Amino acid sequence: MNDITFEHIEKIGHIIYEDEMYRHVHYPEMLSRYDSNFILFKTMPALTTFKKLEHLLCSYHQQHNQQHLKFIFPSNEKIPSDIHSYLTDENYDIGFLELYTIEPSHFPTKVNEHVEVRPVTDDNLEAFLTLQYKEDLRYGETFATEKQALLKHRFHDSKKHQLLAYYEGIPVGSTELIEEDTTVEIDNLFVLEAFQRKGIGTQLQQYVMQNFQQKTVILVADGEDTPRDMYQKQHYIYRGFQYEVLKVEGQ
C-alpha cells in the first residue's frame, strides 16, 4: 500500500482542540506519557506561531502538573532553521521517526527453536505485566505504574493484541499490535537487554507476519536508532519521516 502515512499510526490520547493549524492531544489517564500529551502541527508554523502555542501548552501542562512539552511537526518536512535554532537554544531534544511498511509475504522466514511467541491471555497476563513494569521502570516509577493500568485496559480491547516472547521458557520480550481493517501496527516492541541479538525481535515479528497475512504491517522506528537498520534488512519499505521535539523540566 502506497497511501500509508503517519496518520495510520495510533496515538493514544483525546483531541481536546483542533483547527487547520494544529491538534492538541491530552490524556489525563496517563499524564506522564509524553506520547499522549502533545501538540501536533498539521502545517508548518512560523516561529511566532510556535512560540504562541508553546506558551499555550506550557500553561496547560502546568495546570495539570505536567513537566514536559512535546511538539510533533508535519510529516516529511524538515524543521525550518529559525525554529530549529530556537529549539536548540531552549534545550529541546530534537529527533525524528521513520515510517515503514511491509507485506507479510516479503518478510524473511527464520526459525529459532529457542524462542516461542505466545499471545497474552489470562494465563500469562501477569508475566506480561511484570515484564513490562520492569522495562518501564527506566522511565520512572510513576510512568511504570500508570502504564500497568493502560496495558490492562488494552488487554480487553479486541483490536489490540499483546504478544509475549519466551527464550528457553523465560519471558524476555513483548510487543503490542493495533489491528485495523487493512493494517496491523507493531508497537512497543522490546527485548530485555541481556537477551538481545538472539533473534527474539525477529520471532515476534514473524508471528505477526504468519497471523496477519492479509494485512499491511506498519511500524515507526527512531530515525537515529539501530533497529531501523534491522527493519531495512528485513525488507520493510521506508515511507517517510516526522520530526518531534521534547523538553522536560529539570533535565
Side-chain angles (χ1 to χ4, degrees):
M1 296 179 65
N2 295 321
D3 56 347
I4 300 294
T5 71
F6 278 92
E7 286 295 312
H8 290 86
I9 299 299
E10 182 193 42
K11 287 184 170 58
I12 300 171
H14 312 293
I15 299 174
I16 61 171
Y17 178 80
E18 184 169 16
D19 61 20
E20 294 181 355
M21 168 65 71
Y22 73 96
R23 181 183 303 151
H24 184 182
V25 175
H26 184 64
Y27 194 56
E29 296 92 334
M30 195 171 178
L31 296 172
S32 63
R33 191 172 193 269
Y34 304 151
D35 291 343
S36 294
N37 298 272
F38 58 87
I39 280 180
L40 181 149
F41 290 105
K42 298 160 71 173
T43 60
M44 189 63 73
L47 178 58
T48 53
T49 302
F50 177 84
K51 289 181 178 179
K52 177 182 177 181
L53 292 175
E54 179 189 37
H55 177 73
L56 181 151
L57 186 61
C58 182
S59 298
Y60 190 87
H61 279 190
Q62 285 176 350
Q63 292 172 18
H64 293 83
N65 297 315
Q66 293 175 280
Q67 299 180 332
H68 78 278
L69 296 175
K70 178 169 183 176
F71 298 91
I72 301 174
F73 291 90
S75 59
N76 302 317
E77 292 189 45
K78 291 187 176 181
I79 300 174
S81 58
D82 58 343
I83 297 180
H84 195 284
S85 295
Y86 175 77
L87 293 168
T88 301
D89 292 341
E90 293 297 313
N91 297 314
Y92 279 87
D93 290 326
I94 303 173
F96 66 97
L97 300 175
E98 293 182 337
L99 177 66
Y100 290 91
T101 70
I102 190 172
E103 300 304 321
S105 60
H106 297 166
F107 190 83
T109 301
K110 291 185 179 181
V111 177
N112 187 333
E113 61 184 15
H114 299 285
V115 181
E116 180 184 6
V117 177
R118 305 177 198 165
V120 175
T121 65
D122 289 326
D123 293 335
N124 60 358
L125 175 60
E126 196 59 40
F128 170 75
L129 293 173
T130 299
L131 182 70
Q132 285 280 342
Y133 184 80
K134 291 178 180 178
E135 176 69 10
D136 291 333
L137 275 176
R138 60 180 177 158
Y139 302 112
E141 188 173 348
T142 298
F143 177 85
T145 300
E146 291 181 350
K147 178 86 170 287
Q148 293 285 292
L150 175 63
L151 292 170
K152 291 175 184 177
H153 175 74
R154 291 164 74 81
F155 173 73
H156 296 286
D157 187 336
S158 62
K159 289 293 186 179
K160 310 294 189 300
H161 309 277
Q162 297 163 330
L163 304 179
L164 194 56
Y166 297 79
Y167 185 80
E168 297 182 347
I170 302 171
V172 296
S174 73
T175 190
E176 287 193 281
L177 311 177
I178 300 100
E179 182 182 4
E180 299 294 346
D181 291 342
T182 60
T183 63
V184 58
E185 177 189 345
I186 297 176
D187 186 34
N188 192 30
L189 190 156
F190 76 90
V191 176
L192 294 179
E193 186 173 359
F195 292 88
Q196 292 177 5
R197 297 180 176 83
K198 296 181 182 294
I200 297 166
T202 297
Q203 293 300 306
L204 281 163
Q205 294 173 76
Q206 190 158 286
Y207 180 97
V208 180
M209 307 303 165
Q210 292 173 344
N211 288 274
F212 296 90
Q213 296 182 19
Q214 305 306 314
K215 310 271 188 179
T216 297
V217 178
I218 61 178
L219 57 80
V220 292
D222 188 326
E224 300 173 318
D225 205 353
T226 51
R228 64 191 291 268
D229 298 326
M230 176 184 72
Y231 297 137
Q232 292 171 353
K233 291 177 181 178
Q234 292 171 330
H235 305 157
Y236 283 84
I237 298 174
Y238 170 78
R239 296 298 186 187
F241 66 89
Q242 187 168 50
Y243 275 89
E244 54 182 38
V245 300
L246 173 70
K247 180 164 70 171
V248 182
E249 184 179 326
Q251 292 187 2

